Amino acid sequence: MGQKLAKKELEKGDAMFQEQRFDEAVEQWAKALKRLQKPIDKFQVCGKMCLCLCDIGKYREALTYAGQQCELANTIQDVSCLSEAYYNLALCNEKSCEFSKAISYSRSSQQAYPHPAKAPLTGQIHLCLANAFAGTSEFVKAWTNYVHAMDEAKAKDDKQLQLLTSARMGHLFCELGDYESSLAYCNNAMDLLDDFRPSDPVQKLRRAIVVQMAVVHRKTGRYSEAMDSCEDAMKLALLYADRPVQARCLLLFADIHRKRNDIERSSPRYESAYSIMSEIGDRLGQVEVLGGMAKTAVCQRQFEKAIELNEKGMDLATRIGNKLEMLRCHARLQFLSDATKDDKRSHRHSRVVQQLVREMDLYCGVCDEVLGQNPERLEPLSCGHFTHARCAVHLSRSTLGRSSKRRPCPACRHNSSLNPVT
C-alpha cells in the first residue's frame, strides 16, 4: 500500500515539475521519500529534489538532499551513484558561492570512475568546474572547462547542456567587457531553447538568459531595452517563485535607476535585492549589490558611507575568493581615497589593484593592456588565455624562418593550435 501511494506521489510531483510548480513538486517528492524502501529509489528522488531546489534558489535545502544522496550511494556501492552524489554536492556549493568546495566535489565526482573522462556526467562536471573557477576569477581555467563542457555536450547532442554552457560563456564575456560576444552566446542559448517544447521545464532558463542580456544592454547604455527585458523576466520570475531571477532583476532595476540618477527608486530596489540574495545564499550577488549601493552613496556625496559599503563588499568578496569583485572594491576605494585626499590609502589600493590584475592574468599578451578596462572584443586562445581581437591578428603571422608555424600564446608560451585568427 505504501509503495503504491509513493508511486502516485512521485507521479504527482513529476507533473507539478513539468508545470514549473517547483515548491509543490518538492513537497510531493518529500512525501514519497518517506514511504520508499529501496535505497536506489530514495537516491533518485533525492536527486530530483536537489536539482529542483537549486533551480528556485533553496541551496541550503538542496545541499541536505545531496548529502543524503552521498550516504545512499555508499550504501548502494555504485560508482555512478557516487559520482552523481558528488556532482550534486558540487552544484549546491557552486550555487551558494562555496567555490573551493565546488571544485573539490567536482573532482571527486570525476574520480569516482576508473576512467574519469568516460563518466556520464563529464560535461556537467566541467560546467560546474567552469562556474566555480569563474567565481574565483580564474578565467583561464574557467574558459578551458567551458570549452570541455561544450565539446562534451555537442558530442552527446545534449541541447540542455549546450544552452547552459553557452549562457555561462556569455556571462564570462560580459564580466570581461566583451559585450558583443556576450550577446552572441546568449542569443545562441535562446536559439537552443527553441528546440524544446514551450511546456518543457528547461524553459525556466529563458528568464535567466533574458536578464543576462538585459545586463549587457544596461552596460552598453540601452536602458529602455534593458528595462523592458527585465520587466518581462520579473513577471515570469514572480509567477514561478524564481527567487534568484527576482533578485537579479531587482539589482538590474536599481542599477538602471542609479544610472538615470533616480536615487529614490534605486535605493529600495538595492535593499530588496540584497535581502533576497542573503535569504538564498547568493554571496557573490550580495557583493554586487553592495557595490551598487556604494556607487549610490557616491552620487549623494556620502563618501564615508560609500567607503563602509565597499569595505563590507570587499570583506565578503575576499571570503568567497572572487578576485574580480575584490579588484572592483579596491578600485572604488582608491577613487574615494583620492576624493578625500588620502594619498596613502589611495596608493595602497592602487598597489592591490595591480596585484589582482596580475593574479587574474588579465593582461593582453600582445599589447600588455588590461583586459576588461574598456569594452572591447576579445579572442580566447586554446590554452584559455584571452587577447584583444585587434591584437590576435599578430598571433597569426608566421615567425621569421618558420612560415608553417603559429606564434605561441604570449602569456603561457604554449603553441595555440586553435589560434583564433587564421
Side-chain angles (χ1 to χ4, degrees):
M1 184 66 179
Q3 297 305 297
K4 286 183 179 179
L5 280 173
K7 185 179 179 181
K8 286 182 179 180
E9 286 161 348
L10 287 173
E11 289 172 351
K12 193 172 180 180
D14 291 345
M16 290 173 172
F17 179 78
Q18 290 295 320
E19 295 169 5
Q20 296 191 51
R21 295 159 60 188
F22 299 124
D23 277 314
E24 294 171 81
V26 169
E27 187 179 338
Q28 288 299 318
W29 288 332
K31 289 179 182 177
L33 186 62
K34 293 177 181 178
R35 301 182 193 277
L36 293 171
Q37 300 296 320
K38 294 180 181 178
I40 188 63
D41 293 337
K42 290 183 177 181
F43 179 88
Q44 291 168 351
V45 175
C46 283
K48 286 182 180 183
M49 295 173 75
C50 176
L51 296 178
C52 187
L53 287 164
C54 277
D55 283 341
I56 55 178
K58 296 187 176 182
Y59 308 131
R60 297 182 187 91
E61 288 182 49
L63 190 60
T64 301
Y65 290 105
Q68 286 186 36
Q69 268 199 310
C70 207
E71 293 174 7
L72 289 162
N74 286 322
T75 301
I76 299 166
Q77 294 187 332
D78 180 272
V79 291
S80 179
C81 290
L82 190 60
S83 177
E84 181 184 328
Y86 280 134
Y87 165 72
N88 284 336
L89 284 169
L91 182 66
C92 294
N93 279 287
E94 180 258 308
K95 295 287 188 183
S96 56
C97 303
E98 294 284 355
F99 299 122
S100 58
K101 290 182 180 179
I103 292 166
S104 177
Y105 281 124
S106 291
R107 287 174 173 159
S108 295
S109 181
Q110 286 177 319
Q111 292 162 6
Y113 274 83
H115 303 288
K118 295 181 180 179
L121 293 172
T122 297
Q124 286 83 351
I125 294 166
H126 278 300
L127 177 58
C128 188
L129 276 169
N131 292 340
F133 282 127
T136 56
S137 309
E138 296 177 81
F139 298 115
V140 174
K141 291 180 180 179
W143 180 256
T144 301
N145 278 282
Y146 282 134
V147 171
H148 288 325
M150 185 62 82
D151 289 345
E152 189 73 15
K154 288 179 177 178
K156 293 181 177 178
D157 196 29
D158 187 336
K159 298 292 185 183
Q160 183 168 336
L161 181 58
Q162 284 182 54
L163 77 88
L164 280 167
T165 306
S166 194
R168 290 299 300 185
M169 284 175 161
H171 179 267
L172 182 67
F173 273 107
C174 183
E175 288 290 272
L176 296 175
D178 182 352
Y179 304 127
E180 186 179 339
S181 296
S182 179
L183 275 180
Y185 278 106
C186 288
N187 280 322
N188 181 58
M190 293 294 274
D191 290 342
L192 287 164
L193 270 171
D194 291 338
D195 293 338
F196 294 88
R197 298 187 312 276
S199 60
D200 195 302
V202 78
Q203 293 292 344
K204 65 182 178 291
L205 299 171
R206 187 179 297 274
R207 47 189 177 266
I209 298 167
V210 167
V211 172
Q212 178 57 46
M213 296 171 79
V215 169
V216 175
H217 295 324
R218 195 274 297 174
K219 288 180 179 288
T220 52
R222 290 174 284 180
Y223 301 138
S224 295
E225 197 171 343
M227 188 70 83
D228 289 344
S229 297
C230 202
E231 284 175 353
D232 291 340
M234 187 63 158
K235 287 176 186 175
L236 289 170
L238 289 168
L239 178 64
Y240 295 112
D242 188 337
R243 302 290 277 168
V245 169
Q246 287 176 41
R248 287 286 157 184
C249 286
L250 286 165
L251 172 56
L252 188 52
F253 286 141
D255 282 340
I256 293 170
H257 291 314
R258 174 178 56 79
K259 283 287 186 178
R260 290 174 166 172
N261 207 30
D262 189 349
I263 306 303
E264 285 188 9
R265 297 177 75 183
S266 68
S267 294
R269 283 164 177 77
Y270 278 130
E271 293 289 348
S272 297
Y274 190 82
S275 176
I276 295 174
M277 287 171 176
S278 300
E279 174 196 321
I280 66 178
D282 182 356
R283 292 184 293 165
L284 183 53
Q286 290 174 56
V287 177
E288 294 175 42
V289 175
L290 289 167
M293 288 177 168
K295 291 174 186 176
T296 302
V298 171
C299 292
Q300 298 172 307
R301 301 194 67 79
Q302 297 176 352
F303 295 141
E304 289 301 320
K305 181 179 179 181
I307 289 170
E308 182 184 339
L309 287 164
N310 275 307
E311 287 179 343
K312 185 177 179 181
M314 185 172 63
D315 179 60
L316 189 50
T318 303
R319 276 189 276 149
I320 63 178
N322 188 286
K323 292 180 180 178
L324 185 59
E325 286 299 335
M326 290 162 62
L327 181 150
R328 288 168 174 163
C329 290
H330 279 289
R332 289 193 293 266
L333 285 166
Q334 181 187 350
F335 168 81
L336 288 164
S337 299
D338 290 337
T340 54
K341 310 296 183 184
D342 191 336
D343 295 337
K344 187 175 180 180
R345 288 180 68 182
S346 175
H347 181 66
R348 187 176 78 244
H349 290 302
S350 176
R351 264 198 337 267
V352 177
V353 166
Q354 293 170 25
Q355 178 189 339
L356 287 167
V357 169
R358 286 193 299 271
E359 288 178 7
M360 288 186 286
D361 235 344
L362 281 183
Y363 287 105
C364 172
V366 178
C367 69
D368 213 32
E369 291 179 6
V370 178
L371 300 174
Q373 201 164 30
N374 298 300
E376 190 166 357
R377 278 288 312 281
L378 303 178
E379 292 284 358
L381 305 180
S382 62
C383 57
H385 284 104
F386 290 83
T387 187
H388 293 119
R390 59 179 163 82
C391 297
V393 66
H394 298 291
L395 298 180
S396 68
R397 294 172 182 168
S398 60
T399 54
L400 185 63
R402 300 173 66 197
S403 58
S404 63
K405 300 291 184 181
R406 296 290 185 190
R407 292 187 179 189
C409 168
C412 64
R413 309 303 294 173
H414 289 159
N415 287 328
S416 184
S417 59
L418 296 181
N419 196 282
V421 181
T422 57

